[in-house]
Amino acid sequence: MGRVDGKRIKNEVPMYLLAPQFMTQRNDAMNMTTVDIPIEPLRKYMNAKRKEGHHISHMALIMCAYAHLVGEYPSINRFIANKRVYEHNDFSVALVVLRPGNTGNDDTMAKLYFTPEDTIFDVQRKIDEYIEVNTTGADEDSNALDKWMGILCSLGGLLDFAGWLLRLLDRHGWLPRALVDASPFHASLLITNLASIRTNHIYHHVYNFGTTSVSIAMGNMREVPKRGRDGGVELVRCIPLGVVMDERIASGHYLALAFARMKDMLAHPEQLEQPGTRVAALQGQGR
């Protein structure tokens, strides 16, 4: 019986089929880096779109660039489960949202679905709709994660057994689709915007439970030294992204090329107004 959330990859080079045998957990295989995104091209673009009546956020630009990246570099949408390599059936993003009146302990988390063909306007619309539902309480049944957590917490002394059972089912791909759909641990990407709470970027771990192989944490804007054309040093204002990757899904060279391409997209954000290129079709469709 196959997994409901991914397709098994069997025709990979031996190194990547064998790597999960020796690095059995995601925290065995975490690589971390900082990707600095110059903010000036983003601000110019956002200001221009605002004059046209379009609100575009930094978060939407980064999510859209990453969605397009999945179309061009599909291996970043892979995950390892039970020592085997899979590709996600779709592209989903787990996002943390703070509710109004938050005291630090009242955030929620759920998933958004995108496709590589989504434009920046599609991505912004999906984010706005998600935040509206999850912060205003417009739909009390909208956040399935909150419901599942309530059920688990009600088990009392059986909680340890339930946790063990969920990990077992997850390892073998036997979790029911309803739980996989609700779980933010079963996503292509985890992203959090720490700048929204005026915090520096961090390197957010990837979880051993679930299927998320990449996490990105946006932090406070910072100035990054860069060699100028005259040979001197100039400071460039950037949004730092703390990126953590499961190195078992692709080679370091492949990942470096992918994030270099992402930086290029964000240096010319107008290209995100066009659908992205899909070089290898995903099995499912964004929602």
Side-chain angles (χ1 to χ4, degrees):
M1 182 176 65
R3 297 184 63 97
V4 300
D5 51 4
K7 177 185 70 173
R8 175 97 178 265
I9 301 296
K10 298 181 180 179
N11 59 344
E12 186 54 272
V13 296
M15 178 185 295
Y16 292 96
L17 294 179
L18 290 174
Q21 302 297 324
F22 305 106
M23 294 181 286
T24 59
Q25 302 291 326
R26 286 194 188 91
N27 60 355
D28 287 342
M30 289 194 307
N31 280 342
M32 293 164 277
T33 190
T34 299
V35 178
D36 286 302
I37 306 298
I39 198 168
E40 192 58 28
L42 303 183
R43 286 199 168 169
K44 285 183 177 178
Y45 177 78
M46 292 163 63
N47 288 337
K49 293 298 108 178
R50 188 177 297 113
K51 292 177 182 178
E52 296 174 10
H54 298 288
H55 165 71
I56 303 294
S57 66
H58 294 108
M59 175 71 80
L61 287 164
I62 289 170
M63 278 195 192
C64 186
Y66 197 92
H68 287 200
L69 203 63
V70 167
E72 298 182 22
Y73 291 86
S75 291
I76 65 173
N77 202 35
R78 290 182 175 181
F79 64 94
I80 310 298
N82 203 22
K83 303 180 184 178
R84 290 170 175 80
V85 185
Y86 293 84
E87 180 178 304
H88 283 278
N89 286 335
D90 49 27
F91 173 58
S92 59
V93 179
L95 175 67
V96 177
V97 171
L98 299 178
R99 293 188 173 106
N102 183 273
T103 59
N105 293 305
D106 190 29
D107 51 2
T108 188
M109 193 173 183
K111 289 192 293 193
L112 294 84
Y113 292 84
F114 303 102
T115 73
E117 291 84 7
D118 280 339
T119 68
I120 182 59
F121 306 115
D122 298 323
V123 171
Q124 186 65 62
R125 172 181 54 80
K126 291 180 182 181
I127 292 174
D128 291 343
E129 290 173 354
Y130 167 81
I131 292 176
E132 174 70 18
V133 168
N134 282 281
T135 60
T136 64
D139 181 356
E140 294 182 357
D141 296 325
S142 62
N143 196 312
L145 173 63
D146 290 348
K147 292 195 298 182
W148 279 105
M149 289 193 300
I151 292 171
L152 288 173
C153 289
S154 70
L155 295 177
L158 295 175
L159 183 57
D160 284 349
F161 172 75
W164 170 84
L165 180 60
L166 288 174
R167 292 192 299 272
L168 175 68
L169 295 176
D170 176 56
R171 184 166 65 250
H172 293 286
W174 297 338
L175 284 174
R177 180 176 294 277
L179 187 53
V180 170
D181 287 346
S183 168
F185 303 105
H186 295 77
S188 305
L189 172 69
L190 166 67
I191 190 166
T192 182
N193 183 10
L194 297 179
S196 66
I197 54 172
R198 300 179 181 179
T199 301
N200 295 334
H201 73 287
I202 63 169
Y203 301 105
H204 193 293
H205 61 89
V206 287
Y207 299 96
N208 287 332
F209 178 73
T211 60
T212 308
S213 297
V214 181
S215 72
I216 293 179
M218 302 165 56
N220 284 332
M221 187 172 54
R222 67 179 186 172
E223 294 183 328
V224 177
K226 178 183 177 182
R227 184 180 296 277
R229 293 181 180 178
D230 60 357
V233 175
E234 61 183 55
L235 296 178
V236 180
R237 302 178 77 190
C238 294
I239 298 175
L241 307 180
V243 182
V244 178
M245 301 154 284
D246 182 342
E247 70 164 324
R248 299 172 298 173
I249 62 173
S251 70
H253 181 244
Y254 185 97
L255 292 167
L257 289 174
F259 280 98
R261 172 64 178 133
M262 183 178 176
K263 287 190 69 173
D264 177 70
M265 293 182 200
L266 293 170
H268 306 92
E270 62 279 356
Q271 60 189 296
L272 299 177
E273 295 182 16
Q274 302 300 318
T277 301
R278 189 190 294 254
V279 299
L282 297 172
Q283 297 301 301
Q285 297 294 323
R287 304 182 184 184

